[in-house]
Amino acid sequence: MKRFRRHGQESQRDRLKQELFQFNKTVEHGFPHQPSALSYSPSLQLLAIGTRSGAIKLYGAPGVEFMGLHDENAAVTQVHFLPHQVELVTLLDDNSLHMWTLRAHKGLSELLEIGRFTLTGPPGAPPSVTRVTAVLAHSSGELLLLGTEGGHVFIVEVPGFRELEERNISLDQVASSVPDDYIGRRNLEHVEALQENPVNPNQVIIGYGRGLMVIWDLEKRCALQHIPATQQLESVWWTEDGAYILSSHSDGSYCRWMVGGEDVNEEEEKSDIPYGHFPCKAISKIVQLPTEEGPPFLLFSGGMPRASYGDRHCITVIHSKTHVALDFTSRIIDFFAIRGGPQHTGDPSALVVLVEEELVVIDLQTEGWPVIQTPYLVPLHSSAITCSHHVSSIPLKLWERIIAAGDLQKTHYSKKPWPITGGQNLAPDPPQRDLLLTGHEDGTVRFWDASGVCLYPMYKLSTAGVFHTDADPNDNMNQGTDGEWPPFRKVGCFDPYSDDPRLGIQKIHLCKYSGYLTVAGTAGQILVLELNDEEAEQTVEAKVVDLLQGQEGFRWKGHTRLDVREEPVLFPPGFQPFSLVQCQPPAVVTALTLHSEWKLVAFGTSHGFGLYDYQQKNNVLIKCTLNPSDQLAMEGPLSRVKSIKKSLRQSFRRIRRSRVSLRKHHVNNAAKLQEANARLEAELAEMELAPVQRKIEARSSDDSFTGLVRTLYFADTFLSDSSHNTPSLWAGTNGGCVFAYMLRLPPVEHRADEPITAQQGENRV
């Protein structure tokens, strides 16, 4: 009997595991946290991203996504696809190598780890001998070349990870073939780069940290040529015809070396510092790609003048007479170029850049090099997310209207299709249309298609235009002007700064049947919007609601409310505001609900709640819930605080305007320049960057404010008796109180004229 029961329990547990496995179909949306490595397979047309948490993610055509996770809790430092195969190799910062493959299983592909390997040096050797710093996946698909911190190059057979000791390239072998005068002056240091000759797979170039580059013959096991560069080496690139080698260096220069049988002179054949003779930052990577007609594309990251633009994250693209410094808003992880043509050997078609907070793809075939809209890996956090709202089963008509409004916002994007097309999405079409709305700190609401695997951006609504803010739409700190050097061009959508934190969206409610939308913000503002397919110019008048209702003894110490524009504002097609409610005090809106059939909006803060008729633009109900003991509720989430981000941005704008003004008027007078600098220093000194005073501490709605309104709900229910249902509003507070109001709505024919009344029912605690 016991045995039978145990067997039954095991069967039940197995059945439960199977059901959980079938149910657990998890999808990760957005951009991966802390990316650390990038690779691309031209044959598979798959993109691979490694992260600091040990994850490896593959992306192909929209909807084709794979994910793997290393058992080791270590960051992925490098990812390399094996040429013309379905395997890839990852290097972790614990010095372990891992082999992954895409394997078919029940008609679908899975990303599986099939091997791992760690270099073992001779007994007693220091760890630097086997610490891998550079990896080359040989074009044969059978070898990995591993350059190490100790200067050695180990050759490993894959996929079995068998070390070919007889073919290893030791530092002594290289040093014995290098001229004595070079070895005598400097140590070679670690292997910084490994590159294969595109026209001769038996030749590889080994680049050492101190600058020396050696062309090595894998068959003859000897050095063919030495390139004794004198600057610290950052990267190397072998041109497609095999005739030249490009090297980039730590001083912001790059050099061009001819490949030949004789050693070149110590003087570089062609050295160039793209951004002048002032000290520049290192060029961390350089790539040169030919075109069928005309000059090649030259791409490199870094190289900016250290003093003036050392904080910029740039990739420079030079082709013919066009020279652009693409200016990104976060640190560059890596980049590569996709080439067109059936064998991926044609002209460069797209530049793919992985930065710390987003993936940016540039169309290199269209004039102006516009950005290609990404169908996945879109950063949801381009501005900090402050709230979200999910709506399922959207009607087709509303869906199409939102898409049409969003398409009008994407005119600056390239018309070219997404260039990464590997794999085939076998997932069925989603059964319904789902929307995810995210509210952001900068006052925007972004609409996302959340129906399938990819979270695709549809439309962006900005509420900042309704108010007077410190933002200047014509002033962009990162946008270059004519004649400016370097020729900056701001790229990417990630912008963590907010010109005014009061704009932040805190609550969203969308009615999918009527198309009405209401959003509420940090400074007590509630906007009611309707979907319009045409642009409209209109004034949005604010209706002030005093939630304290004149109670004495309370004084608001927090931020002021936003100033509404009195002049008409031109709103583009999409959601357009037609009504505005301003809570007083301007505290964070903590609850919001909309009933489009009744034309009512209910809102609540830490001081009370109100009911607003947006058809007649009248207040129906105001209720103060503030408890005399909740004095902290009068301070506000930004009290005694000024946004450091806002102050910094304003100061940088003033600096930029001053620089532009000086440039436009050709002011070369040293006295005037010193006066301008002194004025700017005084302005920065006035900022009073005391961290305690300027720290933003957003107060949580979970604080112990008993009067804080947590929830609001409209219901057509039996409130007065059990036989007559009536419209009603329900409000719940942090202290456990529930307020119920019976609403009396006039007949439809008199809805625009007769007022709505509200009668309070019982309070329950």
Side-chain angles (χ1 to χ4, degrees):
M1 186 66 181
K2 291 183 180 178
R3 186 175 300 172
F4 172 79
R5 183 177 299 161
R6 188 180 298 116
H7 175 74
Q9 288 175 346
E10 290 175 357
S11 300
Q12 185 178 3
R13 187 161 55 246
D14 293 341
R15 195 161 52 247
L16 180 60
K17 284 183 179 179
Q18 185 177 4
E19 290 173 357
L20 287 173
F21 176 76
Q22 292 175 351
F23 177 77
N24 185 21
K25 296 179 180 178
T26 305
V27 173
E28 290 191 357
H29 290 309
F31 189 76
H33 183 55
Q34 294 183 324
S36 53
L38 175 71
S39 185
Y40 178 69
S41 170
S43 58
L44 299 177
Q45 296 190 57
L46 290 178
L47 167 79
I49 295 177
T51 72
R52 292 187 198 174
S53 61
I56 177 72
K57 301 188 177 187
L58 269 60
Y59 300 90
V64 177
E65 299 183 8
F66 304 94
M67 178 179 173
L69 189 63
H70 295 85
D71 294 334
E72 294 79 2
N73 186 20
V76 180
T77 57
Q78 295 187 44
V79 181
H80 299 273
F81 280 96
L82 298 187
H84 309 290
Q85 298 186 44
V86 292
E87 283 84 24
L88 67 154
V89 174
T90 56
L91 172 66
L92 306 188
D93 64 357
D94 65 358
N95 206 41
S96 63
L97 288 156
H98 300 257
M99 179 73 72
W100 298 79
T101 188
L102 286 169
R103 185 170 294 170
H105 177 68
K106 295 183 179 179
L108 302 175
S109 296
E110 294 179 334
L111 181 62
L112 301 173
E113 183 178 358
I114 58 173
R116 60 187 63 190
F117 172 75
T118 302
L119 274 177
T120 56
S128 62
V129 171
T130 55
R131 181 75 184 176
V132 179
T133 55
V135 178
L136 171 62
H138 194 262
S139 61
S140 65
E142 299 174 352
L143 300 176
L144 280 182
L145 277 70
L146 308 175
T148 66
E149 193 175 291
H152 307 282
V153 177
F154 294 84
I155 299 181
V156 176
E157 192 177 56
V158 288
F161 281 130
R162 185 172 68 90
E163 184 180 340
L164 305 179
E165 296 184 10
E166 70 281 358
R167 301 187 66 177
N168 289 343
I169 307 168
S170 69
L171 185 62
D172 293 337
Q173 287 177 282
V174 174
S176 63
S177 62
V178 177
D180 293 337
D181 58 341
Y182 189 90
I183 291 294
R185 288 188 315 205
R186 57 178 66 80
N187 183 17
L188 298 182
E189 285 194 350
H190 63 281
V191 177
E192 181 66 45
L194 290 168
Q195 280 278 328
E196 181 181 337
N197 188 340
V199 297
N200 187 349
N202 289 323
Q203 295 179 5
V204 296
I205 185 166
I206 307 170
Y208 292 92
R210 283 291 178 90
L212 176 70
M213 290 168 280
V214 176
I215 298 178
W216 188 268
D217 192 301
L218 295 176
E219 273 195 351
K220 299 177 181 178
R221 302 176 192 175
C222 65
L224 301 179
Q225 183 178 345
H226 305 90
I227 303 174
T230 57
Q231 292 293 334
Q232 187 83 17
L233 185 67
E234 294 290 329
S235 74
V236 298
W237 180 262
W238 210 321
T239 59
E240 190 178 59
D241 57 5
Y244 293 94
I245 288 172
L246 297 178
S247 61
S248 68
H249 302 275
S250 60
D251 63 344
S253 67
Y254 70 89
C255 307
R256 190 166 180 258
W257 312 87
M258 180 178 289
V259 177
E262 300 295 330
D263 287 351
V264 298
N265 296 326
E266 186 157 331
E267 293 297 324
E268 296 91 344
E269 290 209 348
K270 183 182 179 184
S271 178
D272 189 8
I273 302 178
Y275 293 110
H277 298 288
F278 293 104
C280 293
K281 297 193 74 174
I283 294 179
S284 57
K285 182 176 180 178
I286 190 165
V287 172
Q288 179 178 299
L289 296 173
T291 58
E292 294 182 0
E293 299 178 3
F297 273 86
L298 182 66
L299 309 97
F300 59 86
S301 57
M304 288 291 121
R306 187 177 295 275
S308 303
Y309 304 107
D311 58 341
R312 299 290 184 101
H313 311 287
C314 295
I315 290 181
T316 300
V317 183
I318 303 174
H319 179 243
S320 187
K321 296 181 180 179
T322 306
H323 182 143
V324 174
L326 301 172
D327 187 10
F328 297 88
T329 56
S330 56
R331 185 175 61 90
I332 296 168
I333 305 297
D334 201 354
F335 70 92
F336 63 85
I338 296 177
R339 303 179 65 179
Q343 303 297 324
H344 309 287
T345 57
D347 289 359
S349 60
L351 169 64
V352 181
V353 184
L354 177 68
V355 295
E356 208 162 34
E357 302 292 350
E358 62 183 316
L359 182 78
V360 181
V361 180
I362 309 294
D363 177 7
L364 296 178
Q365 292 184 331
T366 302
E367 185 178 359
W369 297 339
V371 173
I372 300 176
Q373 174 73 60
T374 52
Y376 45 68
L377 291 173
V378 182
L380 281 75
H381 62 299
S382 53
S383 173
I385 295 178
T386 48
C387 67
S388 63
H389 179 64
H390 183 268
V391 188
S392 61
S393 302
I394 301 293
L396 179 60
K397 182 63 176 177
L398 176 62
W399 188 264
E400 291 175 342
R401 294 177 69 190
I402 294 174
I403 289 178
D407 288 342
L408 295 175
Q409 297 178 333
K410 299 174 182 176
T411 54
H412 61 286
Y413 283 114
S414 169
K415 303 299 182 185
K416 291 292 179 65
W418 182 243
I420 301 172
T421 58
Q424 183 180 359
N425 181 11
L426 300 179
D429 292 335
Q432 60 187 28
R433 293 170 290 273
D434 286 5
L435 264 182
L436 176 66
L437 283 69
T438 54
H440 298 264
E441 189 186 30
D442 61 356
T444 60
V445 178
R446 298 167 196 255
F447 290 64
W448 307 85
D449 179 357
S451 308
V453 174
C454 298
L455 199 63
Y456 187 76
M458 297 173 62
Y459 166 73
K460 183 176 78 171
L461 164 68
S462 177
T463 63
V466 180
F467 308 100
H468 286 287
T469 64
D470 294 319
D472 184 355
N474 298 317
D475 179 31
N476 191 322
M477 291 185 297
N478 296 312
Q479 192 65 43
T481 57
D482 292 340
E484 183 179 9
W485 187 261
F488 290 117
R489 175 185 152 202
K490 188 178 185 299
V491 177
C493 63
F494 177 72
D495 185 5
Y497 299 105
S498 173
D499 290 294
D500 196 330
R502 297 175 298 172
L503 289 169
I505 305 297
Q506 297 295 331
K507 295 292 177 181
I508 305 171
H509 191 112
L510 170 68
C511 176
K512 63 184 179 182
Y513 301 110
S514 64
Y516 281 99
L517 170 70
T518 180
V519 297
T522 303
Q525 71 273 25
I526 298 101
L527 282 166
V528 187
L529 309 96
E530 61 181 340
L531 190 55
N532 191 346
D533 299 328
E534 304 292 336
E535 66 178 14
E537 187 174 23
Q538 58 195 35
T539 303
V540 183
E541 297 181 2
K543 185 74 173 181
V544 178
V545 177
D546 184 9
L547 293 176
L548 295 180
Q549 295 180 292
Q551 293 193 30
E552 297 181 358
F554 296 101
R555 187 170 63 88
W556 175 248
K557 303 176 183 178
H559 52 265
T560 59
R561 72 187 194 190
L562 288 162
D563 295 326
V564 181
R565 294 184 183 271
E566 298 178 356
E567 69 276 9
V569 179
L570 181 63
F571 296 103
F575 285 94
Q576 299 170 351
F578 66 90
S579 192
L580 170 62
V581 180
Q582 176 62 59
C583 294
Q584 195 63 27
V588 173
V589 177
T590 57
L592 182 71
T593 187
L594 166 76
H595 200 298
S596 58
E597 184 181 353
W598 299 343
K599 302 292 191 293
L600 295 175
V601 170
F603 50 89
T605 70
S606 54
H607 307 120
F609 60 90
L611 180 62
Y612 180 71
D613 178 357
Y614 62 80
Q615 183 175 1
Q616 297 185 19
K617 297 188 177 180
N618 285 327
N619 296 323
V620 177
L621 166 68
I622 302 173
K623 175 66 177 178
C624 179
T625 60
L626 183 67
N627 191 299
S629 63
D630 288 344
Q631 287 294 332
L632 287 176
M634 301 304 296
E635 295 187 4
L638 303 176
S639 61
R640 304 188 307 276
V641 177
K642 187 177 181 183
S643 169
I644 186 172
K645 295 187 292 187
K646 174 182 173 183
S647 299
L648 285 172
R649 175 166 282 196
Q650 287 176 337
S651 299
F652 282 127
R653 281 203 175 101
R654 286 193 289 266
I655 292 172
R656 175 171 168 75
R657 291 193 191 104
S658 299
R659 285 177 176 173
V660 172
S661 176
L662 290 172
R663 187 161 54 241
K664 285 183 177 179
H665 295 88
H666 304 285
V667 178
N668 296 320
N669 189 296
K672 289 184 179 180
L673 190 59
Q674 290 177 358
E675 181 183 349
N677 287 333
R679 187 167 61 252
L680 291 173
E681 289 177 3
E683 289 179 354
L684 289 172
E686 290 174 1
M687 288 172 57
E688 302 175 1
L689 291 176
V692 176
Q693 295 176 0
R694 293 186 172 265
K695 184 179 180 182
I696 298 175
E697 296 179 351
R699 207 177 297 283
S700 170
S701 62
D702 292 331
D703 284 347
S704 57
F705 303 152
T706 57
L708 185 144
V709 180
R710 298 296 300 267
T711 183
L712 291 162
Y713 191 77
F714 286 113
D716 191 352
T717 186
F718 301 92
L719 184 61
S720 57
D721 55 58
S722 60
S723 58
H724 299 90
N725 61 305
T726 58
S728 62
L729 171 67
W730 299 72
T733 70
N734 218 26
C737 289
V738 176
F739 298 89
Y741 287 84
M742 185 170 61
L743 307 178
R744 298 191 182 277
L745 303 177
V748 177
E749 59 271 14
H750 300 294
R751 176 64 181 83
D753 306 320
E754 297 182 9
I756 297 174
T757 59
Q759 180 182 350
Q760 184 173 358
E762 293 185 5
N763 289 359
R764 300 179 184 179
V765 181

